[in-house]
Amino acid sequence: MKNTIKKIFSTSDSEAIVQEAKKQIIRELDVPSRRLFLQRGLTLGGIAMLTGCDISDNASVETALGKISGFNDRVQGWLFGSTRLAPVYAESMITRPFPFNAFYAEDDAPDVDGLAYRLKIAGLALDKREWSLLALYKMAQVSQVTRHICVEGWSAIGKWGGVPFGDFLRLIGADLTAEYVSFKCADEYYTSIDMATALHPQTLLALTYDGQILPRKYGFPMKLRIPTKLGYKNPKHIEVIEITNKFSGGYWEDQGYNWFGGS
Ligand SMILES: Nc1nc2c(c(=O)[nH]1)N[C@H]1C(S)=C(S)[C@@H](COP(=O)(O)O)O[C@H]1N2
Ligand SMILES: [Mo]
């Protein structure tokens, strides 16, 4: 994003500025919203209206571009209402072996001590007691076979089991009118999601993978499995869950990935 802005600023031709801004805007939109725009006809005037910026001059291009990602979050929030279900698959379609991905190599995945582990609850919840792994395992579980889509260009079908996250949030007396739920992980990873996604019926506090206790590489002891979102919105090795009205971004989101990250 920064390089493109520099490129825009270094050109003196205003038509070139507009064209470059338009290309950047299209690149910034995720596939579903891009499709929507193409259907409705993407015009620069439309973009200017939506961002509230006149993008015909240099100074306002930066402001307009800065607003695109937030705008994209709102479009996606509207496109992917909390009732839209992700496709589910037959067990025979599970991808074996299921890929590992993280910002480090598989051998460096955190080695969390399951006995000492305590899940911490922070922010807007009535019951902020810590959870042992055993207490989590005792809760009613469901499982589902869904597709994980990574923004890096691969997807794979897997089977995750665990507690519907909405059930868990209700159980701890979370403020369901709060804007966000954010996650801190054992490996310095972090992300946050909107409350509608947290309450989505397919969003799981996942404790198992393919019928086994969640393996270390896939996020032991616990991850959030959100089949309506891209891979980077699915935090592994969760240590702290916070219910909050404060926006807190995410590991990849803070480096430019779209925050909503719908799939
Ligand atoms: N804690 C943690 N969670 C994470 C990541 C990470 O590096 N650390 N990477 C994310 C990304 S980009 C992807 S694609 C998935 C990969 O999950 P998998 O290893 O189960 O395939 O985890 C997501 N959650
Ligand atoms: Mo990813």
Side-chain angles (χ1 to χ4, degrees):
M1 176 84 122
K2 285 215 179 74
N3 286 339
T4 317
I5 290 170
K6 243 187 248 145
K7 214 164 57 195
I8 292 170
F9 284 173
S10 65
T11 163
S12 54
D13 174 13
S14 65
E15 181 56 21
I17 292 168
V18 167
Q19 285 311 318
E20 191 54 47
K22 193 166 163 177
K23 264 191 267 165
Q24 172 68 22
I25 286 161
I26 293 168
R27 262 199 306 275
E28 281 280 311
L29 290 171
D30 287 340
V31 174
S33 24
R34 211 183 279 156
R35 200 179 299 134
L36 181 87
F37 266 112
L38 293 176
Q39 274 165 9
R40 304 231 169 133
L42 171 60
T43 64
L44 208 60
I47 287 293
M49 243 176 68
L50 290 162
T51 58
C53 298
D54 170 10
I55 47 180
S56 58
D57 70 86
N58 279 359
S60 50
V61 165
E62 187 175 21
T63 322
L65 293 183
K67 286 186 180 177
I68 293 301
S69 222
F71 164 66
N72 194 10
D73 288 340
R74 291 195 297 280
V75 170
Q76 292 189 55
W78 165 67
L79 276 175
F80 305 139
S82 54
T83 52
R84 174 184 169 273
L85 292 180
V88 292
Y89 301 87
E91 299 214 359
S92 61
M93 292 176 76
I94 292 173
T95 308
R96 298 179 198 281
F98 190 84
F100 160 85
N101 195 39
F103 64 90
Y104 44 74
E106 192 174 317
D107 284 350
D108 297 327
D111 203 355
V112 177
D113 176 347
L115 274 179
Y117 174 81
R118 296 292 180 272
L119 169 68
K120 294 182 182 65
I121 309 295
L124 307 171
L126 295 174
D127 184 351
K128 290 200 243 187
R129 269 178 293 190
E130 296 186 347
W131 288 75
S132 70
L133 206 41
L134 203 61
L136 291 171
Y137 288 152
K138 281 182 183 161
M139 295 183 71
Q141 321 258 321
V142 298
S143 76
Q144 64 199 13
V145 180
T146 54
R147 184 184 295 276
H148 171 117
I149 302 169
C150 174
V151 74
E152 289 170 31
W154 56 270
S155 82
I157 294 173
K159 180 180 169 185
W160 290 269
V163 181
F165 193 48
D167 292 354
F168 182 77
L169 289 176
R170 286 182 192 96
L171 187 70
I172 62 170
D175 177 357
L176 304 182
T177 69
E179 294 251 4
Y180 309 109
V181 182
S182 72
F183 305 89
K184 288 199 189 90
C185 309
D187 58 0
E188 307 297 303
Y189 197 81
Y190 61 101
T191 189
S192 55
I193 59 172
D194 53 293
M195 183 59 78
T197 299
L199 298 175
H200 185 286
Q202 289 173 309
T203 299
L204 280 191
L205 196 158
L207 297 160
T208 66
Y209 180 77
D210 202 11
Q212 309 289 321
I213 284 178
L214 197 66
R216 177 179 160 203
K217 60 181 170 181
Y218 300 142
F220 181 82
M222 197 257 282
K223 69 172 274 178
L224 207 73
R225 174 59 195 147
I226 314 177
T228 52
K229 285 204 187 287
L230 293 168
Y232 64 88
K233 301 297 300 184
N234 289 240
K236 306 193 282 188
H237 317 286
I238 297 171
E239 289 190 324
V240 183
I241 297 177
E242 181 174 5
I243 298 94
T244 178
N245 285 311
K246 207 175 131 251
F247 181 79
S248 61
Y251 181 91
W252 289 116
E253 296 89 326
D254 292 350
Q255 298 175 57
Y257 282 0
N258 169 252
W259 179 77
F260 195 89
S263 69

